[in-house]
Amino acid sequence: MESAHPLEPGRAEMLRQGRLVLDRLADFVDRLPDRPANSLSPSFGSPELRKLVDELSAPPPEHGVDLAELLGKMDRAVDAALETAGPGYFAYIPGGGLYSSALATFYTHVVNRYGSVAATAPALTALEESVLRWIAQDVCGLPAGSGGLLTTGGSMANLSAIVAARHDRLGEQISDGTVYVSAYAHHSVAKAARIAGIAGQRIRVVPHTPDLRMDVAAASEMIAADRAAGLRPFLVVASAGTTDTGTIDPLPETAALAQDEGLWFHVDAAYGGFFRLTERGRRRLTGMELADSVTLDPHKTLFLPFGTGALVVRDPARLAAAHGGTGDYLQDLGELELPDYAHLGPELSHEVRGLRVWLPLHLHGVAAFTAALDEKLDLTERVYAALRRMPHLEVPWPPDLTTVAFRVRAADRATADRATRELLARVNASNRVYLSSTVVDGRQTLRVTVVAHRSHESQVDEAIALIARG
Ligand SMILES: *Cc1c(COP(=O)(O)O)cnc(C)c1O
């Protein structure tokens, strides 16, 4: 078993190790429907958890330990968690953990090609570019010539979008630039703006209409007031599916405002973007094709494992202008008619990210993803209709995407807030499904988000029954 170089297992040992991992993972996936929705309960701070954390935080040993033993430790760490890969996970915006994408990641890391500069593996870059072109043009409807880059998630995509907008519209003088975001924009937008050097007081939160959408007329007035005060409005960010309620801002109206005012128009579609694969989604997300840039999260609505986001832009040259940079040590890497991803974002060395999106899309076909997203839309309608029939609940907003937001009805706000939190605790105590909450218009609000690819009718019905019992 031991080879002369311990860091280079021979073929037989590689296969043995790989099988050991695959067997465990197959068992893990088989058991997902029966695993507890939350193995951390009853409390995050329990003595058992503390003991486990202490035990697993030991420094590495001088001499290696058997793989099976180490996998046992990893399993115990995995078990103390929310079951984010399971079918009962309806909290936050679920990811997936699509197996075929995980295989592509494993493959990518073993062949270890350099994903940052096209000249080092041009055909792999072409393959990644084909995925980005598909996202930009086929999914988002951006014109020919559009493209972008894969990131580690939506936050990084929002950051690169804001850096590009700032560079394109403000140049070097950034202190007077102002940004307009909707009240329920994801916090990563304001965070990215701050990281990009935009002071907090230059980030304008636009009020919302009663249906929780950006009030575009109010945005227009804020822009006028800022211009009158000598400031330089440069960017408006719309949400194509807020994280709180899945609400889609008025995209065509926001695009028109941006056009009239000469602002960069960014759409944060980390949650909603891929619903454009469906007929209903395309209708509801009309206007996205007018954006200068769009953030999407394949690790949400393409069901991929965490770690893959995407930024697509109308004009990749503007992204490159903002992120370009090189060093003498890169002088041997020539120019190709392919993007150097290192020059479109902040990172230099990284793996080829495209395979983990390309392989699932080609292996399963786009129709499989469209059907899965359509199923999630159907399941959401089912949840919405069922909760609307429950007299103890208030379900104020028909879902734009796959999130149903609701509260317990009560005579006054304080009682409603308390009862709503109690309902959340009771539902989650079942350990069959896991929901999360937010605050909308200052009121405690629960949410069911149906996104995980393993969630089907039976889990949704289980969630409905648990909420009804509340
Ligand atoms: C999840 C989310 C983000 C952040 O993306 P990460 O992948 O978690 O970094 C941004 N915007 C929206 C609307 C999201 O739902």
Side-chain angles (χ1 to χ4, degrees):
M1 287 247 196
E2 289 277 302
S3 87
H5 304 283
L7 302 185
E8 299 168 59
R11 182 186 172 84
E13 178 62 1
M14 268 179 68
L15 291 173
R16 185 191 76 86
Q17 292 180 353
R19 281 202 196 100
L20 218 50
V21 172
L22 278 188
D23 275 344
R24 272 169 194 268
L25 293 178
D27 287 347
F28 171 83
V29 172
D30 274 350
R31 286 200 292 261
L32 275 175
D34 302 317
R35 285 171 63 94
N38 173 15
S39 302
L40 287 173
S41 71
S43 85
F44 287 93
S46 67
E48 296 86 341
L49 183 60
R50 180 123 308 281
K51 194 158 155 273
L52 178 66
V53 167
D54 287 346
E55 185 191 329
L56 296 179
S57 345
E62 195 55 29
H63 299 287
V65 174
D66 180 58
L67 177 61
E69 186 183 328
L70 296 174
L71 286 170
K73 284 195 178 171
M74 285 156 65
D75 285 350
R76 288 172 61 209
V78 163
D79 284 347
L82 297 184
E83 191 42 87
T84 43
Y89 191 59
F90 300 114
Y92 310 102
I93 311 287
L98 201 65
Y99 180 69
S100 54
S101 181
L103 281 183
T105 302
F106 177 63
Y107 177 101
T108 298
H109 285 174
V110 175
V111 300
N112 197 38
R113 291 292 178 264
Y114 195 66
S116 315
V117 179
T120 60
L124 280 175
T125 301
L127 199 145
E128 179 161 326
E129 195 206 17
S130 74
V131 167
L132 283 155
R133 216 178 321 118
W134 176 76
I135 296 174
Q137 297 172 26
D138 296 33
V139 177
C140 295
L142 293 175
S146 57
L149 86 160
L150 294 175
T151 65
T152 50
S155 300
M156 288 302 288
N158 281 337
L159 175 61
S160 280
I162 290 172
V163 167
R166 186 203 69 198
H167 183 84
D168 191 62
R169 301 297 152 107
L170 296 180
E172 303 285 320
Q173 291 305 319
I174 65 174
S175 62
D176 294 338
T178 48
V179 179
Y180 305 82
V181 302
S182 50
Y184 294 102
H186 192 270
H187 75 274
S188 64
V189 174
K191 177 176 168 182
R194 282 199 312 276
I195 295 170
I198 309 300
Q201 80 258 27
R202 296 285 187 250
I203 301 168
R204 306 277 181 256
V205 178
V206 180
H208 61 82
T209 49
D211 58 358
L212 309 180
R213 297 176 213 285
M214 185 193 289
D215 183 339
V216 181
S220 174
E221 284 166 22
M222 292 168 94
I223 290 168
D226 283 337
R227 276 201 211 288
L231 299 173
R232 294 160 72 209
F234 76 98
L235 165 68
V236 59
V237 180
S239 302
T242 62
T243 311
D244 298 276
T245 55
T247 306
I248 300 169
D249 282 330
L251 301 179
E253 292 79 1
T254 313
L257 174 69
Q259 175 78 35
D260 291 347
E261 297 284 350
L263 270 54
W264 182 287
F265 176 35
H266 177 63
V267 177
D268 182 359
Y271 168 21
F274 288 107
F275 282 99
R276 276 185 59 116
L277 289 171
T278 69
E279 205 270 317
R280 278 171 284 185
R282 244 184 332 275
R283 215 172 340 106
R284 294 170 197 170
L285 293 160
T286 298
M288 192 186 283
E289 67 285 353
L290 302 169
D292 290 296
S293 54
V294 185
T295 287
L296 300 95
D297 252 345
H299 67 204
K300 287 174 180 160
T301 34
L302 277 188
F303 319 116
L304 264 52
F306 294 122
T308 308
L311 173 66
V312 291
V313 293
R314 175 171 296 273
D315 181 2
R318 293 176 196 224
L319 197 55
H323 291 89
T326 190
D328 294 339
Y329 36 80
L330 298 176
Q331 66 180 350
D332 305 329
L333 300 168
E335 297 279 311
L336 284 170
E337 286 302 299
L338 285 165
D340 290 334
Y341 289 116
H343 299 161
L344 298 183
E347 298 170 274
L348 178 58
S349 302
H350 58 76
E351 77 280 40
V352 175
R353 295 209 171 107
L355 280 182
R356 60 190 188 231
V357 192
W358 181 90
L359 184 75
L361 286 170
H362 285 257
L363 179 69
H364 308 298
V366 174
F369 291 90
T370 306
L373 291 167
D374 260 322
E375 182 203 19
K376 306 313 163 201
L377 288 168
D378 290 340
L379 292 173
T380 308
E381 310 252 331
R382 188 179 176 88
V383 175
Y384 179 65
L387 301 199
R388 290 277 288 186
R389 283 193 298 269
M390 296 180 194
H392 67 298
L393 297 184
E394 201 179 289
V395 196
W397 308 283
D400 283 350
L401 293 171
T402 58
T403 296
V404 180
F406 60 99
R407 312 167 172 134
V408 175
R409 258 183 224 285
D412 63 275
R413 278 186 168 212
T415 313
D417 280 355
R418 195 169 347 100
T420 298
R421 296 217 59 83
E422 284 166 7
L423 175 61
L424 177 67
R426 276 199 303 277
V427 170
N428 286 348
S430 72
N431 242 337
R432 294 293 305 159
V433 303
Y434 194 81
L435 312 185
S436 64
S437 69
T438 187
V439 178
V440 178
D441 287 336
R443 302 187 55 189
Q444 289 293 326
T445 304
L446 307 190
R447 43 198 298 301
V448 175
T449 299
V450 191
V451 167
H453 65 297
R454 297 185 174 106
S455 301
H456 303 293
E457 202 168 281
S458 62
Q459 286 85 26
V460 160
D461 285 349
E462 215 166 340
I464 292 170
L466 286 162
I467 294 166
R469 217 174 298 150

